[in-house]
Amino acid sequence: MTVTLADVAARAQVSPATVSRVLNGNYPVATSTRERVLRAVDELDYVLNGPASSLAAATSDLVGILVNDIADPFFGIMAAAIQSEIGGPGGRAGGERLGVVCNTGGSPERELTYLTLLQRQRAAAVVLTGGAVEDTAHASAVSAKLRKLAEAGTKVVLCGRPPAPEAAEAIALTFDNRGGGQQLTEHLIGLGHRRLGYIAGPQERTTTRHRLEGHRDALAAHGIEDDPRWTVYGRYDRRSGYEATLELLRRDPSLTAVVAANDTVALGACAALRDSGLRIPDDVSVAGFDDLPFSIDAVPALTTVRLPLSEAGARAGRIAMGREEPPPGGIATVRGELMVRGSSGGPRL
Amino acid sequence: MTVTLADVAARAQVSPATVSRVLNGNYPVATSTRERVLRAVDELDYVLNGPASSLAAATSDLVGILVNDIADPFFGIMAAAIQSEIGGPGGRAGGERLGVVCNTGGSPERELTYLTLLQRQRAAAVVLTGGAVEDTAHASAVSAKLRKLAEAGTKVVLCGRPPAPEAAEAIALTFDNRGGGQQLTEHLIGLGHRRLGYIAGPQERTTTRHRLEGHRDALAAHGIEDDPRWTVYGRYDRRSGYEATLELLRRDPSLTAVVAANDTVALGACAALRDSGLRIPDDVSVAGFDDLPFSIDAVPALTTVRLPLSEAGARAGRIAMGREEPPPGGIATVRGELMVRGSSGGPRL
DNA sequence: CTGTTAGCGCCTTCAG
DNA sequence: CTGAAGGCGCTAACAG
């Protein structure tokens, strides 16, 4: 029923081995022979059997990209960049690789499941994006998995994720969340703010912790006591920002600025402030993080920290494909850039 | 080096076939035997070889999800919903399927490439999301590919995409873009608008065409002549909305409403209007399409048409997994819901 | 319920 | 540069 390599060989009057060689292009074949084979492939409408090929070669053309939330542009932008570097030629059969993104939904179990599935498929590479969960048991389970993947020849790259201490084989491009958070809060302090609310992300995430630490570093550097009432934990979504802001306002109506864990949360914060009859930035300044495309369209435009998601993703993709040297030591820190816009201003008197 | 099924069989003192059976759970095995096998699997840290398994079984656990732009939440939301229905148990080996999203970037070539790659992998199912490109040559190439996939046993589902006329095997859940566009414009006309600008998406896309047709249907129904100056084509992004709006304003400053191809474009339109010193909706009303999460946060909140992306995606996922009956005739139309919000109001006098 | 026996379709030495 | 041959690891009849 289905056309096999042998059929192509018969039609082209060569041996299966030869067909395999022209298809994989990893071995010298006479031009005339190649053309004959290619013609046969075309005439027969032959499609390589991936599993068979992967089985024999003990490696596949699959490249996995794990993201926490595919509906969040933060991950979408990185994934698109990674995939664009993977899609191109460079794979084994016919030169195409299959970059596939897997949505973990932020769940440690699903992350592990996907990793196993990818391991099962003998993936050529795996790129994990975004913050990690800080649960110890899970973290070491993931590290162990990554180590095994690496041992089996799968390249492992972390993008926008802190290095895995127990899996040194994994190359890491880490975002400087701490530094970014610090810059942002420094900016607000510089404007005169002294009472700043902070809406953090989920408690057990590295990204959450690092951004918050940066914020606190800035406060400490300026001798501002960090009132515990000023920090609220939530999720990385708009709703969470909305609710957390109301909560912050309830706890301390005298706040003059709200720093959000990311832009999406900041948008929710803006909505809550507006609904509370407060003007931005006249009454309360707001800041986000990431500089997603919509942030510039907020009214007023959002002050935030731009992360070079696309660039980092592209680099991660290239490293995963072995087309770029990994950074020295296997770890590189990617810095963010403070974007001062209309949502931040001096505090009300 | 790597542990194989035979090793597990030896350790558990059973035949390889038995091991396979407990792993796939598709055949009766004595509980005691199963436990012994599972223990051996665990002790040996065995991981099934996916390619070998797929080769022997002539099908894989891979399910492809094609999206036009992974960085766009429109697709992200659908993809997440589809993947959530796929991820669960139901696959062959160990009950897990690998839902993988592929980013075509809207390019017909990449779409075809991914389809081939998926075909090569003997994917269990493929879900194509979003509008199709209307180039005839490409459309029939895709249809041909889909037909071949279906013949090879791959389930094909279209989600938010019009039916493929030449590939009737493909189940289609189509969005009623035309009806939605019509409702939206009806709403604006009802408010009293008579001069409406329209920012369309890329010219050769089905989504673009259908939404525009709906708009024109509404105009025609009310005897409003559609001035050609009032339509501008662009891309589905913010920048395009910004530029198109300036262009519309230049062509006819007397427009009282701008209808955008989607919410993202509408956001750009709002920015352009604001930058031109026009108030929304006092001077000009704005409307979007899709009702993405950020639309409610625009200031003023965006009037738009809500598409049940998540629900449609979930349904598509279930159908792809054979867990839900396809709609009669293989085609279902999913309607949108008009969401009237602050960005639309009566025209200025 | 379990073991035996053939392949699945391709890649990759090894000769020529 | 090309052909022949063996096996990659697993599944699916078929017996028992």
Side-chain angles (χ1 to χ4, degrees), chain A residues 45 50 83 103 238 297, chain B residues 50 83 103 120 148 238 297:
Chain A
D45 205 16
Q83 215 169 25
N103 188 35
R238 171 193 186 270
D297 281 318
Chain B
Q83 214 168 27
N103 188 33
R120 191 177 278 186
K148 257 170 233 148
R238 172 194 186 268
D297 281 318

Side-chain angles (χ1 to χ4, degrees), chain B:
Chain B
M1 175 59 226
T2 59
V3 184
T4 74
L5 189 147
D7 299 329
V8 176
R11 190 119 158 72
Q13 313 207 56
V14 296
S15 74
T18 301
V19 177
S20 170
R21 295 199 260 255
V22 341
L23 257 27
N24 290 302
N26 52 6
Y27 216 82
V29 173
T31 313
S32 65
T33 314
R34 168 192 280 93
E35 280 172 358
R36 201 142 33 86
V37 170
L38 255 19
R39 185 145 25 86
V41 166
D42 223 55
E43 291 168 349
L44 261 32
D45 205 17
Y46 169 70
V47 177
L48 182 69
N49 183 316
S53 165
S54 297
L55 171 58
T59 174
S60 80
D61 280 338
L62 227 50
V63 175
I65 302 168
L66 266 61
V67 302
N68 285 339
D69 182 5
I70 200 177
D72 183 341
F74 174 82
F75 291 100
I77 291 169
M78 274 195 288
I82 297 168
Q83 214 168 27
S84 75
E85 292 289 339
I86 283 167
R92 291 183 315 99
E96 284 291 353
R97 293 205 189 249
L98 217 204
V100 300
V101 359
C102 308
N103 188 33
T104 66
S107 146
E109 296 76 38
R110 295 192 59 187
E111 182 168 271
L112 236 21
T113 302
Y114 272 124
L115 250 17
T116 302
L117 252 21
L118 258 5
Q119 181 182 14
R120 191 177 278 186
Q121 299 294 334
R122 306 301 190 252
V126 172
V127 181
L128 312 212
T129 66
V133 171
E134 295 207 289
D135 175 77
T136 319
H138 175 251
S140 57
V142 169
S143 292
K145 198 53 121 179
L146 295 185
R147 217 176 316 119
K148 257 170 233 148
L149 279 164
E151 274 169 20
T154 297
K155 253 207 174 122
V156 179
V157 180
L158 309 179
C159 180
R161 187 172 171 125
E166 308 173 44
E169 307 84 351
I171 310 297
L173 301 184
T174 309
F175 291 139
D176 181 22
N177 285 309
R178 186 161 183 158
Q182 184 168 3
Q183 268 184 81
L184 195 56
T185 298
E186 289 275 2
H187 158 69
L188 292 167
I189 292 172
L191 287 172
H193 294 274
R194 290 299 175 270
R195 295 185 305 284
L196 305 97
Y198 191 91
I199 307 175
Q203 194 131 19
E204 70 292 354
R205 297 292 245 293
T206 52
T207 307
T208 298
R209 183 163 62 76
H210 294 150
R211 291 182 182 179
L212 179 53
E213 284 173 0
H215 170 71
R216 288 183 173 158
D217 288 351
L219 293 182
H222 291 264
I224 301 174
E225 172 235 8
D226 183 30
D227 191 320
R229 295 176 305 153
W230 295 347
T231 300
V232 176
Y233 286 89
R235 299 176 312 280
Y236 282 121
D237 63 28
R238 172 194 186 268
R239 175 103 181 271
S240 187
Y242 190 95
E243 289 165 358
T245 301
L246 296 183
E247 173 66 19
L248 284 173
L249 253 24
R250 203 174 304 129
R251 293 184 187 175
D252 184 353
S254 74
L255 291 174
T256 63
V258 171
V259 181
N262 75 10
D263 290 348
T264 309
V265 173
L267 235 50
C270 288
L273 291 170
R274 263 196 311 276
D275 289 357
S276 304
L278 295 166
R279 290 162 306 162
I280 304 167
D282 312 86
D283 296 315
V284 178
S285 287
V286 175
F289 209 111
D290 293 343
D291 194 25
L292 296 186
F294 59 74
S295 303
I296 200 169
D297 281 318
V299 181
L302 216 52
T303 289
T304 186
V305 175
R306 162 170 293 172
L307 250 27
L309 299 175
S310 212
E311 294 79 354
R315 172 132 93 116
R318 270 179 266 123
I319 293 173
M321 305 309 288
R323 281 201 265 111
E324 175 171 329
E325 281 304 301
I331 298 177
T333 300
V334 177
R335 303 204 183 286
E337 180 190 358
L338 179 64
M339 307 297 289
V340 176
R341 295 203 274 245
S343 72
S344 62
R348 64 173 178 275
L349 305 180

Side-chain angles (χ1 to χ4, degrees), chain A residues 140-163:
Chain A
S140 58
V142 169
S143 292
K145 198 53 124 179
L146 294 184
R147 218 175 317 119
K148 258 170 232 149
L149 279 164
E151 274 168 21
T154 297
K155 251 204 174 125
V156 179
V157 181
L158 310 180
C159 180
R161 187 172 172 124

Side-chain angles (χ1 to χ4, degrees), chain A residues 180-205:
Chain A
Q182 184 169 3
Q183 269 185 80
L184 195 56
T185 298
E186 289 276 0
H187 158 69
L188 293 168
I189 293 172
L191 288 172
H193 294 275
R194 290 298 175 270
R195 294 185 305 284
L196 306 97
Y198 191 91
I199 307 175
Q203 195 132 18
E204 70 292 354
R205 296 292 244 294

Side-chain angles (χ1 to χ4, degrees), chain A residues 75-94:
Chain A
F75 291 101
I77 291 169
M78 274 195 289
I82 297 168
Q83 215 169 25
S84 75
E85 293 289 339
I86 283 167
R92 293 183 315 98

